[in-house]
Amino acid sequence: MSTPRPGPDRRLARGIQRITASSLGPYQSAVIRIGFSATYLLFLLRELPHRHEMYGPHAPWRWDMAEQLISNNQAFTTLMWSDSTVWFEIVYALALLSAALLLVGWHTRAMSVLFMVGVLSLQNRSIFMGDGGDNVIHLMAIYLVLTRCGQVWSLDARRAARGAREARGTDDGGEPVGKAGGGRPVRGDVAGPLLWVAFGAVLLWATVTDNLGGTVWLPVLFWILWTGHGAWWAVNRYAPHSEPRTLLDVVANLAHNATLVVIMAEVCLIYSTAGWYKIQGSRWQDGTALYYPLKLHYFTPWPGLSDILASSGVMVMVLTYATVIVQVAFPFTLFNRRVKNVLLVVMICEHAGIALLLGLPFFSMAMIAADAVFLPTVFLVWLGGRAALGRELLFRGRGKVPGPRDAADSQDAAGDRDAAGDGEAPQHSGGGGHTLVG
């Protein structure tokens, strides 16, 4: 006798429960965080010797030109707060620092906001610098602020798990600590409240002096984030099991899940528009479009390799048509998991080829990071396990590697993170382990 299928009302209730009770795609959002922060960090490091010519006082796009443009488009950039070289160096250093700290997941919520400020400040100062990947980074920096991208593979997640073990009175290996297994007091976090106070002071000054750009949405977003983080900290500290705590969790989960959908739609829109515009070009129609960039000297970091590829008319035609087909077809393959995974591998290889042949590594890294939102969870979990194993093998001779925890401890740690609602900050009912901005 077959089991009756649930009715539409029950399926709807399950769907609502799923999107409100948990943050979906924790591994995908972590890969996006790591990918885009690493891309921008490497870009800033590469341009460190040329930073003054790109965004600073010696930029071809002069201060008065940038001031005139920003007065028209109402863009936000902290570099227009002062024309001094010292202020430029501070902003550039903070952009570097925020990218590095977001990469490792230290106080992810605060660093995602600082990362967004750094990206917007530099890119809006000189909008003509970049290779196309900067537009993707620009958008994703805004989206990351609304995601809970530090649930896994972050220092915040490790701190949350450590706080949970301390609250239970166990060490990293799951062994009891103290007399008769007594627990140690959970360590408090000072950096979170300090970041919250510092950000609030800067935000208040920028609002009073009208230095948040001419748009309405950005100041509103900043104030919502700042007050929301303060409310989150207060509720977690004084009423961790109350209805307001549950409500905040639901709001955060909805924002995270909705943002993931927007990121997916953005990636599909990028590929579909690129593919359909290519179809309209005569060089793409006759299969010769790839030949021309291979003959441009500023797009050929390896001239010999480019000449070998350009000398084969069949290969040029195949790659030209394959590029169009893959970009146009990808959004439609989302309905079939296997086909989607195959085309995902093809597109990642395509971007790797663009980085190698055309000398656009940061554009390719940005697009690969955006593609990561569609990577299967099983593959990402396997990849994380291989990375953890490699780290243990690398540091085995340098110190003691903590022993594996049993299944019960692992489930308890996962349950504590779920109860906290976010891996970005340790949120336990024990009191001292709360963070304000994390």
Side-chain angles (χ1 to χ4, degrees):
M1 184 176 182
S2 61
T3 304
R5 298 181 60 184
D9 293 340
R10 181 170 296 181
R11 290 197 297 270
L12 178 62
R14 288 181 179 178
I16 294 176
Q17 173 70 16
R18 180 173 174 79
I19 64 175
T20 57
S22 62
S23 301
L24 305 178
Y27 293 96
Q28 286 80 359
S29 58
V31 172
I32 293 174
R33 182 198 86 232
I34 295 170
F36 279 100
S37 58
T39 300
Y40 205 60
L41 176 63
L42 293 175
F43 173 77
L44 293 178
L45 289 175
R46 189 192 72 171
E47 301 301 338
L48 190 62
H50 316 291
R51 62 191 183 280
H52 292 281
E53 289 76 21
M54 292 192 65
Y55 306 110
H58 305 303
W61 192 252
R62 300 190 311 270
W63 170 270
D64 57 331
M65 298 169 65
E67 192 174 33
Q68 183 179 358
L69 178 64
I70 289 174
S71 65
N72 293 328
N73 62 15
Q74 306 298 319
F76 166 79
T77 170
T78 59
L79 288 178
M80 301 306 296
W81 292 359
S82 173
D83 60 351
S84 69
T85 304
V86 175
W87 176 244
F88 168 76
E89 297 291 357
I90 292 174
V91 173
Y92 201 91
L94 287 176
L96 271 170
L97 182 63
S98 64
L101 293 179
L102 184 63
L103 174 65
V104 298
W106 183 80
H107 288 275
T108 313
R109 293 185 186 129
M111 290 305 108
S112 64
V113 176
L114 192 58
F115 177 74
M116 178 185 71
V117 171
V119 170
L120 296 181
S121 297
L122 294 175
Q123 292 188 357
N124 289 338
R125 166 63 177 86
S126 299
I127 61 173
F128 299 107
M129 301 294 178
D131 54 14
D134 56 325
N135 294 325
V136 182
I137 296 175
H138 191 111
L139 292 172
M140 294 300 173
I142 299 174
Y143 298 153
L144 279 174
V145 172
L146 302 176
T147 64
R148 309 177 84 169
C149 55
Q151 298 176 97
V152 296
W153 297 343
S154 67
L155 295 180
D156 291 337
R158 294 185 63 182
R159 188 172 69 247
R162 187 185 305 115
R165 289 193 296 270
E166 291 179 351
R168 294 197 307 269
T170 58
D171 61 10
D172 291 340
E175 297 296 332
V177 296
K179 294 182 179 181
R184 295 167 293 183
V186 179
R187 293 189 296 268
D189 182 80
V190 180
L194 290 178
L195 285 171
W196 189 79
V197 172
F199 285 0
V202 174
L203 182 58
L204 180 62
W205 174 84
T207 303
V208 171
T209 56
D210 195 23
N211 279 317
L212 292 177
T215 59
V216 177
W217 68 269
L218 191 60
V220 172
L221 175 63
F222 281 142
W223 279 109
I224 289 177
L225 291 172
W226 187 78
T227 55
H229 290 166
W232 191 287
W233 177 86
V235 170
N236 276 317
R237 186 173 182 85
Y238 299 109
H241 304 294
S242 62
E243 290 186 1
R245 173 66 176 80
T246 304
L247 177 61
L248 289 175
D249 238 350
V250 169
V251 173
N253 291 334
L254 286 174
H256 170 91
N257 296 331
T259 305
L260 276 188
V261 173
V262 172
I263 292 175
M264 294 178 184
E266 192 77 43
V267 175
C268 291
L269 184 63
I270 290 173
Y271 284 121
S272 60
T273 53
W276 287 108
Y277 270 109
K278 286 181 175 67
I279 288 177
Q280 302 175 43
S282 59
R283 295 294 177 262
W284 291 95
Q285 292 175 7
D286 60 24
T288 61
L290 185 62
Y291 173 84
Y292 298 98
L294 293 175
K295 290 298 183 179
L296 297 175
H297 68 278
Y298 48 84
F299 277 149
T300 54
W302 310 97
L305 186 60
S306 299
D307 290 341
I308 292 174
L309 182 59
S311 63
S312 174
V314 175
M315 183 60 67
V316 169
M317 182 183 66
V318 170
L319 292 177
T320 300
Y321 287 149
T323 300
V324 177
I325 292 172
V326 168
Q327 291 183 349
V328 172
F330 178 74
F332 301 99
T333 64
L334 300 181
F335 300 101
N336 189 297
R337 182 179 303 176
R338 293 183 178 179
V339 178
K340 180 262 295 182
N341 291 338
V342 172
L343 259 66
L344 195 59
V345 173
V346 172
M347 287 195 303
I348 292 175
C349 293
E350 174 189 338
H351 289 303
I354 291 174
L356 179 64
L357 293 173
L358 302 183
L360 298 173
F362 300 109
F363 167 77
S364 298
M365 289 178 64
M367 289 308 303
I368 291 173
D371 293 341
V373 72
F374 296 107
L375 289 174
T377 301
V378 174
F379 169 74
L380 292 176
V381 172
W382 173 86
L383 188 64
R386 297 303 94 189
L389 180 60
R391 185 180 66 247
E392 290 184 2
L393 293 176
L394 180 62
F395 295 101
R396 175 175 294 176
R398 302 185 182 182
K400 180 181 177 181
V401 178
R405 294 175 295 174
D406 56 24
D409 286 337
S410 300
Q411 292 176 359
D412 288 343
D416 287 328
R417 287 194 297 270
D418 291 340
D422 201 338
E424 286 123 312
Q427 301 159 345
H428 311 295
S429 58
H434 303 287
T435 60
L436 190 54
V437 180

